[in-house]
Amino acid sequence: MKASRETKRLFVGGLGQNVSEVDLQNQFSRFGEVSDVEIITRKDDQGNPQKVFAYINIRVAETDLKKCMSVLNKTKWKGGTLQIQLAKENFLQRLAQEREEAKAKKEKSTIGNTNLLEKMGVVDFHMKAVPGTEVPGHKNWVVSKFGRVLPVLHLKNQHKRKIIKYDPSKYCHNLKKIGEDFTSAIPISSLTWELEGGNDPMSKKRQGKFSDFHCPPSKIIKVQEDESPSASLAMRSRHHRVIMKNPHLTLQQTAQEICKDPITPKSPHVPDSDSQKLKRNKNSLSDDDTELEDGLRLMIAREENFGRTSCSSVNESENEPFEVVRNYFKSNVQKHCSLTDSGIKNNVSHLDSEGNVVSNNCDYDSVDTDDVAMKKVSKIKNNREFSQMEKSLYKKTSLKHRKNCELSDHCIKVQKRKNNIQLAVNNRVKHLSCKCLSKSISSEDADCVSESANSEEDEYNAMMKNSLHVTFTLADLGQLAGSDLKAPKEDTKSDGLETTSKSDRASENHRTSGSLHRSKQCIYPEEIVASLLEGEENTPGKQKSNKNNLKLKFQSFKGIGCLYGKEFVKKSMKENVASGDTSKNQNSLKLQDLTSMSMENIPSGKLTPFQCAKKADDPNYIQPQKRQFVFKSQNYKVVSPSSSDKGSRIPSCSLLTLKDKKYVSLGAETPRKGFEEDCCHRSTKTGKVSEKGPDLSSHVVPEKSPEVSSRMDTQGSETDFPLSVESSSDVNAKDKQAEDNQKRLAALEARKKAKEVQKKLVHNALANLDGHPEDKPTHIIFGSDSESETEKISTQEQSCLIEKPVKEFLNRASGKLFDSDEKEYDSEDDSSRFKIKPQFEGRAGKKLMDLQSHFGTDDRFRMDSRFLESDTEEEQEEVNEKKTTEEEELATEKLKALNIVQSILRINLSNSTSKGSVAAKRFKDIIHYDPTRHDHATYEKKRDDNQPKESKAKRKKKREEAEKLPVVSKEMYYNIAMDLKEIFQATKDTNEKEGVPWNEDCDGEKAKEVHDPAALKAGAKQPSGFTFSFFDSDTKNIKEETYKVETVKPGKNSWQGASFFEDSSSEEEDVAEETNDIKPRLGEISLPEKETTRFFFFSKNDERLHGECIF
Amino acid sequence: MRPLTEEETRVMFEKIAKYIGENLQLLIDRPDGTYCFRLHNDRVYYVSEKILKLAANISGDKLVSLGTCFGKFTKTHKFRLHVTALDYLAPYAKYKVWVKPGAEQSFLYGNHVLKSGLGRITENTSQYQGVVVYSMADIPLGFGVAAKSTQDCRKVDPMAIVVFHQADIGEYVRHEETLT
């Protein structure tokens, strides 16, 4: 029963007025639980209750309800007949119910869905959970940052046992977290570039990398194996390794990192013998390691192909994978640096992660290759993230490294040297490139190089060997500077890679020789730093050619290197900042930086044994050199301010000083010396190249007889100028170069003298310039300028730059203008001097030329063909005069015909045509009216018929004028001037005068023409303060002015005078007629004008105005 | 070969003026030299002075032609324009008629131009006005006389003659012997 009870709402109508709720409740409680009673009373207008009814919520069973209905319905109760009906539920309740229902529905549906999904075995991906919560029922699935359920990755490194857990909930973005500096500058272009990236050849092509794939497909697959299986993850893991293992090694502390690494206990590890090393290498290398190496090699080969395609200048052996690297480096310096940096990092990681055995074997070289490979991988593959990461890392690190790390500097230098080398001869190029290659790879073995040389370039064997030495030394130095551990390892590693018996021997030899070399070759600028440290230790190292010694050396180097590295970092940083101009000439600037750094380091750090390493033979020598160097550095400092000054030259300026100057200037970034810089660089480069030749030759020698000094000099010259200078200063070394330098110095001195003489000349010229305004200075300057030019060429060769400022000064002063003029003249004269200009061709042209010859070459007075119009008329007249009787007959005939035509057409042909038919009849199809032409005056409508005769007379005059033109005499002119004065005296107002003839004269254009020259005159007079506007306002003054001018240059302006004459004569007539009108107006209008203009344009004492006042 | 009499000149000019109007004087009064009309064998030639001098060396009975023949005088002393004058008159023509490509050939065979073949016509062309007939490519084809004014041309049926044929360049082929 109870179960079936339901809440019902009953309507109870017909209640009595006095029924209360309680009554109702009591009444209905018999049948069920009454929960709510609501009595409603309906009242009429007067307030008398009409109806009373109630709603009862009752919880009742069905049977009870029926019973209730049957019992109570239509029964009389308390004065009313009850009507009981089932009512609808209360709307509130209904609303609530509906809501509930809807909610229930929803829940139902969702529940159903989830059920479905669960049935299908799918996890609910829309979990509302805090990131990081594990998905219930699914192991290793976690709600990630953005609400997605992602799996937790367990990454295992290839070389390590350690498994890294990658929890997606901890990284809001995968790239971001792993990449560390995702924000650091990645150019957008590269980003998009990478986005396209695919491993397949098509995508590569799309990226613009066209590679002819020489690699066999299997190898490619191998590489892909290395790369593709979550290559990004692998790389990431590797980086992680780096980061995690060396927590103290942040990217920014890489420099320190380098320093610390050598200190770490793993490093002091020296191979006993090459063969042992080899074996160990082979044994120690784990399988995956070897695989990795193979893959790397393949990748390198591929890269090589890339580089070959990209770089057209590659001459190197193609099979050698490392050369590719070189190309790669060539292409972009930055990457190289970064690469080396990363290599260092990798080394660190290797050391940390791998066992001792592996660590022993891990070469600097190998690491580098690894890095290269990684880079390639990153580039080649789809892993944008990884590449970006790496790039960013590289960039960051490279920037810092460049400043901080010796290694990076070294790399830069190497690259620079490479560039220089490329300029050099092919052989040299190759040799050097080998060097560079080795350097860039940072410790490629001599063995490898030699192998490659043997296999491909038999011709260059000797050179290669030389190069090997060099490379080895360089590598050693670099290693010493960066991380000393790797030097021995390099050899071993390379050996392992090559797995050749030769390599052992070669390596041994190389080592022995290399040690010597190393000690000797400290001259390299990069090694200046190292050499400073080395100096002390090299001596023992040198004495012992054994490997054990080498080991010792290395160890000792480590410590020193660390110390040095710190020191160096600071200084290099400072200096780099100081010389901020890296953009312009990167190579030069870097060189400068390096040199400057080295130079400054020496005095500041007091690391005396600068070149001691090589001069270990004579330790005594070291000290003086040191002193010298210090002295030089001081000089350099002294010179720097002097160099900034234009004229000041240091009497003791030698090559060194010059170079120092140059450096200083460059460092100071005086922008106007950009040209100088270029010149300097060129010269220096040439010098380098030239010096390299001997260097090479010397290289061969040192193996047997370690001639330290020569090599030192040569190499110094190669890389660093100060070094070369030092070498030159070290005359004790009795080198060829020293002699050369001396010669050079002498030449320089001579040049300097010449320069000073020049300077004097220039000074004189300049002094004169102030005094003499016009011709003289230009001539003098011209002479001096030409001299300077001739000297410039010679000086450029010798790279003496002292003169340049002076030259520049000259140019600034006046030379440039003149130069440009010269050029113009040259171009014009040479090409068209003897050609007859088109406008002078023919008879008319001759005449025109005559005219022009009369009026000089001034543009303003140049006669052009317009002035020939009158002549054409004459010509035509002449032609007409020549007419024969026959022609006359024809003419008459024509005339007749025309008459007939007129009669036929019943039109009146114009007078001119009819009248002038006998004379020059011209084709007047469409007349283009030119107001400047005299003959076109006939086309003007003549408003004023008052003076037709006068116009005729004028026409005649015009002709006369045209004939007379060149022969007008001065006297006439002066007479006219007198006339004008009189006229002006009478009229005074110029504006009106100007206006009247203009309008009223039948030959309007004539007046205009007359005024034109005046206007020109005014223009010419502008320097003296007259303008066109002025001319407009006050013509009279201008005319006076023109007269004055003409008195100065009567010959030139005779024609103009003539025109004035004509004009004034015509004006005279006009004025005579109109003076009456003008006079009254004159006083009123002109006076105020004059006052204003006078104060504006003239001084009060102007003589012209005085004249007026008199009048 | 003799100059035209005044009467002849008048007749000829009247005729030519029908086509080129007042531009006629441009033919007589040329800027590039002296040109004149000469009568020879009842034909009127438009000759430059230079050629006139040259032709003076040839006896009259042997002289076939000189200069450019503009037309000939009929026995009744009317002037009939030849197509050879087309090159001189077409540039100055005042009223032009363009015939459609389909009607070109018909006209060049000596037929009149029907309205169906009329491609374009200068407005304000009056009836019996001399016109120069052009192809739609603006190549002068010959002379004609407007049979209807421009307004009338709009109303007439397509087969009505719009332009009477007078001379056409087909004559160079058809009347080769008489065109001298």
PDB file of all heavy atoms in Angstrom, chain A residues 600-615:
ATOM      1  N   GLU A 600      95.851  43.021 -24.804  1.00  0.00           N
ATOM      2  CA  GLU A 600      95.500  43.587 -23.515  1.00  0.00           C
ATOM      3  C   GLU A 600      95.733  42.591 -22.406  1.00  0.00           C
ATOM      4  O   GLU A 600      96.060  42.951 -21.280  1.00  0.00           O
ATOM      5  CB  GLU A 600      94.051  44.055 -23.537  1.00  0.00           C
ATOM      6  CG  GLU A 600      93.887  45.310 -24.350  1.00  0.00           C
ATOM      7  CD  GLU A 600      92.525  45.892 -24.174  1.00  0.00           C
ATOM      8  OE1 GLU A 600      91.871  45.563 -23.165  1.00  0.00           O
ATOM      9  OE2 GLU A 600      92.107  46.672 -25.020  1.00  0.00           O
ATOM     10  N   ASN A 601      95.506  41.385 -22.737  1.00  0.00           N
ATOM     11  CA  ASN A 601      95.697  40.371 -21.721  1.00  0.00           C
ATOM     12  C   ASN A 601      97.112  40.382 -21.211  1.00  0.00           C
ATOM     13  O   ASN A 601      97.356  40.214 -20.026  1.00  0.00           O
ATOM     14  CB  ASN A 601      95.384  38.997 -22.301  1.00  0.00           C
ATOM     15  CG  ASN A 601      93.894  38.753 -22.277  1.00  0.00           C
ATOM     16  OD1 ASN A 601      93.193  39.342 -21.447  1.00  0.00           O
ATOM     17  ND2 ASN A 601      93.410  37.922 -23.150  1.00  0.00           N
ATOM     18  N   ILE A 602      97.973  40.553 -22.124  1.00  0.00           N
ATOM     19  CA  ILE A 602      99.369  40.446 -21.734  1.00  0.00           C
ATOM     20  C   ILE A 602      99.753  41.496 -20.709  1.00  0.00           C
ATOM     21  O   ILE A 602     100.293  41.165 -19.662  1.00  0.00           O
ATOM     22  CB  ILE A 602     100.264  40.517 -22.966  1.00  0.00           C
ATOM     23  CG1 ILE A 602     100.054  39.252 -23.762  1.00  0.00           C
ATOM     24  CG2 ILE A 602     101.711  40.660 -22.560  1.00  0.00           C
ATOM     25  CD1 ILE A 602     100.419  39.408 -25.204  1.00  0.00           C
ATOM     26  N   PRO A 603      99.502  42.713 -20.996  1.00  0.00           N
ATOM     27  CA  PRO A 603      99.865  43.700 -19.988  1.00  0.00           C
ATOM     28  C   PRO A 603      99.081  43.533 -18.705  1.00  0.00           C
ATOM     29  O   PRO A 603      99.623  43.652 -17.605  1.00  0.00           O
ATOM     30  CB  PRO A 603      99.560  45.032 -20.660  1.00  0.00           C
ATOM     31  CG  PRO A 603      98.622  44.707 -21.749  1.00  0.00           C
ATOM     32  CD  PRO A 603      98.953  43.321 -22.185  1.00  0.00           C
ATOM     33  N   SER A 604      97.822  43.281 -18.843  1.00  0.00           N
ATOM     34  CA  SER A 604      96.990  43.231 -17.652  1.00  0.00           C
ATOM     35  C   SER A 604      97.284  41.974 -16.851  1.00  0.00           C
ATOM     36  O   SER A 604      97.468  42.024 -15.638  1.00  0.00           O
ATOM     37  CB  SER A 604      95.518  43.277 -18.049  1.00  0.00           C
ATOM     38  OG  SER A 604      95.241  42.141 -18.846  1.00  0.00           O
ATOM     39  N   GLY A 605      97.254  40.889 -17.539  1.00  0.00           N
ATOM     40  CA  GLY A 605      97.433  39.639 -16.832  1.00  0.00           C
ATOM     41  C   GLY A 605      98.869  39.379 -16.448  1.00  0.00           C
ATOM     42  O   GLY A 605      99.141  38.527 -15.625  1.00  0.00           O
ATOM     43  N   LYS A 606      99.743  40.083 -17.048  1.00  0.00           N
ATOM     44  CA  LYS A 606     101.163  39.907 -16.781  1.00  0.00           C
ATOM     45  C   LYS A 606     101.613  38.498 -17.093  1.00  0.00           C
ATOM     46  O   LYS A 606     102.488  37.936 -16.454  1.00  0.00           O
ATOM     47  CB  LYS A 606     101.482  40.230 -15.311  1.00  0.00           C
ATOM     48  CG  LYS A 606     101.182  41.664 -14.953  1.00  0.00           C
ATOM     49  CD  LYS A 606     102.077  42.587 -15.712  1.00  0.00           C
ATOM     50  CE  LYS A 606     101.710  44.035 -15.437  1.00  0.00           C
ATOM     51  NZ  LYS A 606     102.430  44.944 -16.274  1.00  0.00           N
ATOM     52  N   LEU A 607     100.962  37.923 -18.031  1.00  0.00           N
ATOM     53  CA  LEU A 607     101.383  36.596 -18.452  1.00  0.00           C
ATOM     54  C   LEU A 607     102.487  36.775 -19.466  1.00  0.00           C
ATOM     55  O   LEU A 607     102.238  36.962 -20.650  1.00  0.00           O
ATOM     56  CB  LEU A 607     100.206  35.833 -19.043  1.00  0.00           C
ATOM     57  CG  LEU A 607      99.074  35.573 -18.052  1.00  0.00           C
ATOM     58  CD1 LEU A 607      97.902  34.963 -18.753  1.00  0.00           C
ATOM     59  CD2 LEU A 607      99.559  34.713 -16.927  1.00  0.00           C
ATOM     60  N   THR A 608     103.626  36.772 -18.991  1.00  0.00           N
ATOM     61  CA  THR A 608     104.754  37.196 -19.808  1.00  0.00           C
ATOM     62  C   THR A 608     105.076  36.242 -20.949  1.00  0.00           C
ATOM     63  O   THR A 608     105.252  36.689 -22.070  1.00  0.00           O
ATOM     64  CB  THR A 608     105.987  37.360 -18.936  1.00  0.00           C
ATOM     65  OG1 THR A 608     106.186  36.148 -18.224  1.00  0.00           O
ATOM     66  CG2 THR A 608     105.795  38.512 -17.969  1.00  0.00           C
ATOM     67  N   PRO A 609     105.194  34.986 -20.710  1.00  0.00           N
ATOM     68  CA  PRO A 609     105.738  34.128 -21.775  1.00  0.00           C
ATOM     69  C   PRO A 609     104.770  34.033 -22.929  1.00  0.00           C
ATOM     70  O   PRO A 609     104.060  33.035 -23.074  1.00  0.00           O
ATOM     71  CB  PRO A 609     105.926  32.786 -21.095  1.00  0.00           C
ATOM     72  CG  PRO A 609     104.929  32.773 -20.002  1.00  0.00           C
ATOM     73  CD  PRO A 609     104.754  34.189 -19.570  1.00  0.00           C
ATOM     74  N   PHE A 610     104.751  35.055 -23.666  1.00  0.00           N
ATOM     75  CA  PHE A 610     103.787  35.100 -24.753  1.00  0.00           C
ATOM     76  C   PHE A 610     104.155  34.119 -25.853  1.00  0.00           C
ATOM     77  O   PHE A 610     103.370  33.298 -26.267  1.00  0.00           O
ATOM     78  CB  PHE A 610     103.759  36.519 -25.308  1.00  0.00           C
ATOM     79  CG  PHE A 610     102.703  36.669 -26.342  1.00  0.00           C
ATOM     80  CD1 PHE A 610     101.369  36.550 -25.985  1.00  0.00           C
ATOM     81  CD2 PHE A 610     103.043  36.898 -27.647  1.00  0.00           C
ATOM     82  CE1 PHE A 610     100.402  36.681 -26.927  1.00  0.00           C
ATOM     83  CE2 PHE A 610     102.057  37.024 -28.584  1.00  0.00           C
ATOM     84  CZ  PHE A 610     100.752  36.914 -28.232  1.00  0.00           C
ATOM     85  N   GLN A 611     105.340  34.274 -26.283  1.00  0.00           N
ATOM     86  CA  GLN A 611     105.769  33.378 -27.344  1.00  0.00           C
ATOM     87  C   GLN A 611     106.778  32.377 -26.830  1.00  0.00           C
ATOM     88  O   GLN A 611     107.499  31.752 -27.603  1.00  0.00           O
ATOM     89  CB  GLN A 611     106.388  34.191 -28.465  1.00  0.00           C
ATOM     90  CG  GLN A 611     105.360  35.073 -29.108  1.00  0.00           C
ATOM     91  CD  GLN A 611     105.989  35.992 -30.087  1.00  0.00           C
ATOM     92  OE1 GLN A 611     107.204  36.123 -30.093  1.00  0.00           O
ATOM     93  NE2 GLN A 611     105.184  36.614 -30.900  1.00  0.00           N
ATOM     94  N   CYS A 612     106.775  32.269 -25.559  1.00  0.00           N
ATOM     95  CA  CYS A 612     107.788  31.424 -24.960  1.00  0.00           C
ATOM     96  C   CYS A 612     107.716  30.012 -25.476  1.00  0.00           C
ATOM     97  O   CYS A 612     108.723  29.318 -25.602  1.00  0.00           O
ATOM     98  CB  CYS A 612     107.604  31.373 -23.446  1.00  0.00           C
ATOM     99  SG  CYS A 612     107.394  32.978 -22.760  1.00  0.00           S
ATOM    100  N   ALA A 613     106.533  29.610 -25.725  1.00  0.00           N
ATOM    101  CA  ALA A 613     106.336  28.221 -26.082  1.00  0.00           C
ATOM    102  C   ALA A 613     107.279  27.815 -27.188  1.00  0.00           C
ATOM    103  O   ALA A 613     107.912  26.771 -27.135  1.00  0.00           O
ATOM    104  CB  ALA A 613     104.903  28.004 -26.515  1.00  0.00           C
ATOM    105  N   LYS A 614     107.350  28.624 -28.150  1.00  0.00           N
ATOM    106  CA  LYS A 614     108.214  28.282 -29.260  1.00  0.00           C
ATOM    107  C   LYS A 614     109.662  28.567 -28.926  1.00  0.00           C
ATOM    108  O   LYS A 614     110.559  27.927 -29.426  1.00  0.00           O
ATOM    109  CB  LYS A 614     107.826  29.091 -30.487  1.00  0.00           C
ATOM    110  CG  LYS A 614     106.453  28.725 -30.938  1.00  0.00           C
ATOM    111  CD  LYS A 614     105.691  29.949 -31.215  1.00  0.00           C
ATOM    112  CE  LYS A 614     104.221  29.612 -31.208  1.00  0.00           C
ATOM    113  NZ  LYS A 614     103.452  30.820 -31.378  1.00  0.00           N
ATOM    114  N   LYS A 615     109.808  29.535 -28.146  1.00  0.00           N
ATOM    115  CA  LYS A 615     111.170  29.952 -27.859  1.00  0.00           C
ATOM    116  C   LYS A 615     111.723  29.282 -26.641  1.00  0.00           C
ATOM    117  O   LYS A 615     112.641  29.763 -25.991  1.00  0.00           O
ATOM    118  CB  LYS A 615     111.193  31.461 -27.679  1.00  0.00           C
ATOM    119  CG  LYS A 615     110.528  32.084 -28.873  1.00  0.00           C
ATOM    120  CD  LYS A 615     111.201  33.297 -29.304  1.00  0.00           C
ATOM    121  CE  LYS A 615     110.696  33.663 -30.688  1.00  0.00           C
ATOM    122  NZ  LYS A 615     110.813  35.065 -30.924  1.00  0.00           N
TER     123      LYS A 615
END
